[in-house]
């Protein structure tokens, strides 16, 4: 059961503001989502095979080597560069 306090705590942890007038609807919606997930978790799958249900076999395409743009053209968009690389500032 999802409570109003659960929704408030999730909003706090997510750094989201939920207006007071939307709190009841959001609590109900979240409860419906959890109930739906419980329904799926409780589905009887005994004897049901889920491997390759679409009968796909190697649906990936072959890699094809194509020429790329010249390095100079790509690097002209870099605000800062050194040698043949983009320079990126360290963020902490």
């Amino acid at each position: 059961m999802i409570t109003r306090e659960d929704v408030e705590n999730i909003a706090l942890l997510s750094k989201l503001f939920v207006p007071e007038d939307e709190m009841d609807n959001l609590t109900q919606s979240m409860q419906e989502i959890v109930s739906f997930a419980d329904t799926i978790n409780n589905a009887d799958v005994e004897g049901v095979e889920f491997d390759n249900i679409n009968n796909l076999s190697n649906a990936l395409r072959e890699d094809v080597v194509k020429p790329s743009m010249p390095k100079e053209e790509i690097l002209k968009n870099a605000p800062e560069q050194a040698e043949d690389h983009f320079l990126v500032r360290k963020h902490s």
Side-chain angles (χ1 to χ4, degrees):
M1 177 76 178
I2 300 293
T3 65
R4 183 182 182 95
E5 290 76 29
D6 293 330
V7 174
E8 290 171 351
N9 190 30
I10 292 168
L12 179 67
L13 292 171
S14 304
K15 297 182 181 181
L16 296 173
F17 171 74
V18 179
E20 185 65 32
D21 60 334
E22 294 180 18
M23 189 64 70
D24 290 334
N25 285 337
L26 184 57
T27 303
Q28 181 180 351
S29 294
M30 290 183 76
Q31 179 57 47
E32 290 171 4
I33 292 168
V34 170
S35 294
F36 181 70
D38 285 341
T39 301
I40 293 172
N41 283 336
N42 294 325
D44 182 19
V45 293
E46 188 67 35
V48 178
E49 294 292 327
F50 288 100
D51 291 345
N52 199 17
I53 61 174
N54 294 321
N55 298 318
L56 295 177
S57 176
N58 196 8
L60 304 175
R61 65 171 172 76
E62 293 293 321
D63 286 337
V64 178
V65 178
K66 295 181 180 179
S68 65
M69 296 174 67
K71 279 190 268 183
E72 297 77 26
E73 189 171 339
I74 294 171
L75 288 172
K76 74 179 182 183
N77 295 312
E80 295 181 48
Q81 57 179 294
E83 300 173 13
D84 291 336
H85 308 314
F86 285 90
L87 289 181
V88 181
R89 291 189 185 107
K90 181 178 178 180
H91 293 278
S92 52

